[in-house]
């Protein structure tokens, strides 16, 4: 980070994740490690900025999407298009608050130009909370696909989704279990 700091730099806006708050106690060890690293990076950025007299703002979005460009929604949309259904482990009742990448860009510019936002952390959830099932339904409509879901009981989740590595990143399925 030292290469970032120069006499002209007055402000830094960085993106983190609300997972720093919401996933601290996750049962998935790799996620806990990622969250610890992210929280540590936030602390290091704030400390380095303060040491160099640079204002900082940390933005923590929830689930980011941008049609065809994200690593969250786009793979799920591809799955729905490819197979015509979405496998769901459990009831799909977990809540998500998707936020569009363009909204985040607007927020970052606003934070960078606002003295009131200096040296603060903001959570940036999407405009509405949707159950995972509702979110899948909206993706299906957006793909012009039928809203078909394959309900799989939690006890059958791992065997039923054992084919996941052939098509998707394993991390996506940890996220999708809701």
């Amino acid at each position: 980070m030292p290469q970032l700091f120069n006499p002209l730099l007055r402000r830094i806006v960085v993106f983190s994740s609300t997972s720093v708050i919401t996933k601290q106690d996750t049962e998935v060890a790799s996620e806990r490690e990622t969250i610890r690293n992210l929280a540590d990076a936030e602390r290091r950025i704030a400390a380095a900025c303060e040491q160099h007299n640079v204002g900082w703002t940390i933005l923590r979005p929830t689930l980011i999407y941008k049609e065809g460009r994200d690593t969250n929604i786009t793979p799920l949309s591809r799955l729905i298009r490819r197979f015509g259904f979405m496998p769901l482990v459990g009831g799909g009742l977990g809540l998500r608050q998707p936020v569009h990448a363009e909204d985040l860009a607007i927020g970052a510019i606003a934070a960078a130009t606002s003295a009131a936002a200096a040296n603060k952390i903001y959570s940036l959830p999407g405009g509405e909370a949707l159950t995972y099932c509702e979110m899948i339904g909206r993706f299906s409509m957006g793909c012009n696909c039928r809203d078909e879901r394959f309900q799989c009981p939690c006890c059958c989740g791992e065997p039923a989704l054992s084919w996941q590595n052939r098509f998707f990143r394993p991390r996506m399925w940890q996220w999708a279990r809701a």
Side-chain angles (χ1 to χ4, degrees):
M1 251 190 339
Q3 60 273 23
L4 287 176
F5 296 101
N6 67 59
L8 299 177
L9 184 63
R10 294 284 163 241
R11 192 59 172 279
I12 291 179
V13 176
V14 298
F15 285 99
S16 181
S17 172
T18 55
S19 294
V20 169
I21 299 166
T22 62
K23 288 193 173 184
Q24 288 179 351
D25 298 324
T26 180
E27 61 191 46
V28 180
S30 61
E31 284 185 352
R32 282 193 311 272
E33 178 68 19
T34 298
I35 298 310
R36 278 193 296 272
N37 290 340
L38 200 51
D40 184 52
E42 287 183 1
R43 285 188 291 277
R44 287 193 330 256
I45 288 167
C49 287
E50 289 169 8
Q51 180 182 1
H52 290 89
N53 200 29
V54 172
W56 56 270
T57 303
I58 297 174
L59 304 177
R60 291 177 174 163
T62 53
L63 179 65
I64 302 170
Y65 71 97
K66 169 78 172 114
E67 296 82 3
R69 303 283 309 267
D70 64 85
T71 59
N72 297 307
I73 305 306
T74 297
L76 294 175
S77 297
R78 287 185 186 131
L79 173 75
I80 292 166
R81 267 192 233 106
R82 182 172 183 174
F83 295 106
F85 69 93
M86 178 66 201
L88 289 176
V89 177
L93 300 177
L95 294 176
R96 304 292 188 270
Q97 289 183 274
V99 59
H100 199 276
E102 289 178 15
D103 293 332
L104 294 174
I106 291 166
I109 292 167
T113 58
S114 170
N119 304 333
K120 292 185 180 162
I121 298 174
Y122 294 95
S123 291
L124 301 176
E128 65 181 320
L130 304 170
T131 67
Y132 192 73
C133 278
E134 290 171 323
M135 191 174 72
I136 295 302
R138 292 204 187 165
F139 300 156
S140 296
M141 287 187 332
C143 296
N144 293 320
C145 297
R146 290 185 323 226
D147 183 11
E148 298 287 334
R149 299 176 202 136
F150 174 72
Q151 293 285 343
C152 186
C154 290
C155 63
C156 300
E158 294 302 323
L161 298 176
S162 63
W163 51 271
Q164 70 188 6
N165 290 337
R166 287 186 277 180
F167 302 106
F168 303 100
R169 299 174 298 131
R171 182 183 164 274
M172 184 181 85
W173 290 104
Q174 292 172 354
W175 171 84
R177 292 184 197 127

